[in-house]
Amino acid sequence: MKQYLILVLLLCSVCCSAKNLTHYDDFDRMSVSLDDGREGGERKQRVPLCKPSHIKNGTADACIMAAIPRRLAYNIICESGRPHPHTFYTDTLDTLSLSALIYEITKLRATAKESNSDLYDSLQAPLRLSDAHNISEENINLIEKDCGKEVLEASKFMEAFNTNDDLICVRDEVKGVNNERNITKFGDSEADVSESRVHIVVVDHHKKRVDVVFRGTQRAGDWWTNLNAVWRRRVANPVQFHQKKTSHIHLHRGFAKALLGDATSPDLPTANDIACNNKASGNNEESAPPIKKILCEVKAHVKKGYRLYVTGHSLGGATATLFAFFAASTDPDITSAGPVNLFTYASPRVGGRTFQDAFKFLEERGQIRHARFRNQKDKVPMNPYLLGKYNHVGVEIRLRKDEIPIIDYPTSHTWTQSGLNVVENVVSTARILHYHSTEVMLQRIVANTMAFNNTSLQQEYQMIWGI
């Protein structure tokens, strides 16, 4: 089945080459923010990234060098002693490392549960995030034993993350070495595994932040979840007040089942069924959708003023997108401390035009912010398409080799959205796992340290939409 799908993708790649219709490939429009030096990170000036002509004519001082050396960027970030906790760069590395760590730590828990009770006991929540990193490093042989390619790719990411000198300033911050940052929940029960919603909850008491991290594809059943897209699922729309209001939205059937449960009725679950009402009887109902239990775990912290971050890679990115959407739309307490911050990596599409309209309404209202990262030439984010029945949401950050990233909010949705020619589509299909990997993403993000470090997700929304 897997080989057949790759063959289909290969044939489609040859036939369906398209370009990104709306993007910031124009250097004059692509820009990053500069800090005006005042505490709180208020931005007043925007400076464009350098065009080749700037460098040739010696006028590069009026712009930011696109190919800034990584060591110089490292020095700039480190000069204050600690990285700014809310830049696009640190938030991206933070969520990307969590999206890779969940592959390792859940694989290690599953192995230890069967063969090493002492190790399994040391992997119980609450667990300091830094300890989780250390235990994973110490038991890498167990993690890589009889594991899938996705886990191996995550291990490559973690090795690069732990050894790259350019990350020395942010590594301890991200891993929670000096902060009270704990994994408070492992969502890897038999039911979570079988329904493809393996997740962890991480709470940072120093930054007042809670992260929900969903795991990507790791087992055969996850592939069925990925492929269960031909017949979309009709779900009651939790967003009822926007101009393009529809009573229902259309979602990827497999991804929706992971969080909402079986499709007993197109009118269920309702927003009230999903929202955490803090009543013990309601939270423990066997009929409650699985997403509700996770939301209740999150809400206990959000009510204390903690901000919510949601992230995941591949299948985990798709599940994260739906979780963040329902979290932002069903319970005002979730967004009381600010918008839901969604960072996804190599995520496939998850819904149709009605879902896209509802998601965009939440963005306009400031209830959600979505950074959707993908490597150029990665085939997974191009699917499912089904003649335009699925659309992406959020701000796209296209990571390119040896070039600055393209930050875009697409208004048109073609199949490829990549601007590749026929030959490039064929070659990239042959290296599908390479372009889908978190390690390649890390390389391209670090190569553009300066551009990411001088902006934030909120600022990109302000620049693109003025909101």
Side-chain angles (χ1 to χ4, degrees):
M1 175 65 74
K2 203 169 177 180
Q3 291 81 356
Y4 174 77
L5 287 172
I6 293 177
L7 177 61
V8 171
L9 278 173
L10 178 62
L11 294 174
C12 290
S13 298
V14 175
C15 300
C16 304
S17 177
K19 65 180 181 179
N20 195 358
L21 299 179
T22 308
H23 59 68
Y24 290 103
D25 214 354
D26 180 347
F27 282 90
D28 286 323
R29 296 175 66 194
M30 179 74 176
S31 60
V32 297
S33 300
L34 291 183
D35 198 326
D36 66 357
R38 290 187 291 177
E39 187 173 354
E42 184 177 350
R43 270 66 175 172
K44 297 177 65 176
Q45 183 183 9
R46 298 196 70 82
V47 178
L49 291 165
C50 292
K51 291 196 287 187
S53 59
H54 286 142
I55 302 170
K56 182 178 180 180
N57 299 330
T59 58
D61 58 337
C63 60
I64 290 178
M65 297 288 290
I68 186 168
R70 281 182 285 176
R71 177 57 57 187
L72 176 58
Y74 153 76
N75 289 335
I76 293 172
I77 295 170
C78 282
E79 63 184 6
S80 62
R82 290 172 68 88
H84 191 287
H86 303 305
T87 67
F88 212 172
Y89 183 67
T90 52
D91 279 345
T92 298
L93 288 179
D94 199 328
T95 51
L96 181 58
S97 66
L98 288 173
S99 296
L101 175 65
I102 190 173
Y103 284 105
E104 287 194 339
I105 200 70
T106 55
K107 169 62 167 62
L108 185 57
R109 275 173 54 88
T111 301
K113 187 175 182 179
E114 295 180 355
S115 59
N116 191 328
S117 59
D118 290 339
L119 177 59
Y120 185 67
D121 289 342
S122 70
L123 290 169
Q124 301 302 310
L127 175 67
R128 284 181 64 91
L129 185 63
S130 57
D131 290 341
H133 279 278
N134 292 335
I135 294 172
S136 293
E137 290 179 46
E138 294 167 0
N139 293 277
I140 192 63
N141 291 334
L142 279 178
I143 292 173
E144 295 182 350
K145 182 180 180 182
D146 300 325
C147 71
K149 292 182 179 180
E150 293 81 6
V151 177
L152 286 175
E153 291 296 327
S155 296
K156 291 179 183 178
F157 169 92
M158 296 308 303
E159 181 180 2
F161 182 75
N162 289 325
T163 57
N164 191 321
D165 289 341
D166 296 319
L167 299 174
I168 191 171
C169 279
V170 297
R171 188 158 44 234
D172 286 354
E173 185 86 10
V174 167
K175 293 170 72 171
V177 171
N178 301 314
N179 300 328
E180 190 181 350
R181 195 173 192 195
N182 302 313
I183 299 177
T184 61
K185 178 187 178 183
F186 286 101
D188 56 356
S189 66
E190 290 185 12
D192 291 321
V193 172
S194 65
E195 297 295 338
S196 301
R197 58 169 175 270
V198 173
H199 63 281
I200 59 174
V201 177
V202 181
V203 178
D204 188 329
H205 297 292
H206 174 68
K207 292 183 179 180
K208 288 193 171 183
R209 159 178 173 166
V210 55
D211 291 81
V212 180
V213 188
F214 289 93
R215 191 182 72 184
T217 304
Q218 188 168 318
R219 49 183 289 279
D222 294 335
W223 278 102
W224 173 246
T225 298
N226 291 331
L227 298 173
N228 194 4
V230 177
W231 291 277
R232 298 180 301 177
R233 178 169 170 179
R234 193 164 167 257
V235 176
N237 188 355
V239 181
Q240 293 292 325
F241 303 103
H242 62 98
Q243 292 180 347
K244 297 182 180 180
K245 180 184 73 173
T246 56
S247 60
H248 295 80
I249 55 177
H250 293 91
L251 303 176
H252 184 290
R253 182 179 293 268
F255 303 151
K257 181 182 179 182
L259 290 177
L260 304 180
D262 292 321
T264 57
S265 165
D267 296 318
L268 297 174
T270 65
N272 288 333
D273 294 328
I274 294 171
C276 179
N277 55 23
N278 282 332
K279 294 180 180 178
S281 60
N283 296 339
N284 295 322
E285 290 177 351
E286 292 185 5
S287 60
I291 188 175
K292 184 171 187 174
K293 298 176 182 178
I294 309 174
L295 278 173
C296 288
E297 175 83 15
V298 168
K299 188 170 181 176
H301 300 286
V302 171
K303 291 186 71 175
K304 300 175 184 177
Y306 287 39
R307 292 169 295 118
L308 174 59
Y309 282 71
V310 188
T311 190
H313 169 256
S314 192
L315 165 65
T319 314
T321 300
L322 289 184
F323 178 85
F325 169 76
F326 284 105
S329 60
T330 58
D331 192 336
D333 287 341
I334 296 294
T335 56
S336 59
V340 175
N341 295 280
L342 172 63
F343 284 72
T344 61
Y345 301 94
S347 172
R349 295 175 169 97
V350 302
R353 180 58 58 87
T354 51
F355 168 71
Q356 183 186 47
D357 290 340
F359 194 99
K360 191 173 293 185
F361 178 78
L362 295 179
E363 292 174 301
E364 293 170 348
R365 300 258 307 206
Q367 292 173 250
I368 195 168
R369 294 288 180 261
H370 181 195
R372 179 171 51 81
F373 288 80
R374 71 175 180 91
N375 285 323
Q376 180 154 291
K377 299 184 180 180
D378 185 3
K379 292 293 184 288
V380 172
M382 294 152 54
N383 295 288
Y385 184 62
L386 295 183
L387 301 177
K389 290 186 178 296
Y390 286 89
N391 297 298
H392 272 306
V393 293
V395 173
E396 178 184 87
I397 298 91
R398 190 202 306 174
L399 302 172
R400 305 183 294 174
K401 182 180 180 181
D402 300 327
E403 295 184 83
I404 61 171
I406 294 176
I407 300 178
D408 178 18
Y409 197 101
T411 56
S412 298
H413 295 270
T414 58
W415 184 66
T416 64
Q417 290 188 298
S418 61
L420 303 180
N421 60 39
V422 173
V423 174
E424 288 174 322
N425 267 295
V426 172
V427 172
S428 61
T429 300
R431 302 188 68 194
I432 187 170
L433 284 177
H434 170 77
Y435 292 116
H436 191 56
S437 75
T438 51
E439 183 191 12
V440 173
M441 285 188 163
L442 179 67
Q443 295 170 356
R444 296 179 180 184
I445 290 167
V446 173
N448 290 279
T449 298
M450 192 61 186
F452 284 113
N453 197 61
N454 281 294
T455 187
S456 67
L457 180 55
Q458 174 60 28
Q459 285 175 281
E460 294 306 320
Y461 268 90
Q462 289 173 344
M463 185 179 75
I464 295 172
W465 278 12
I467 58 174

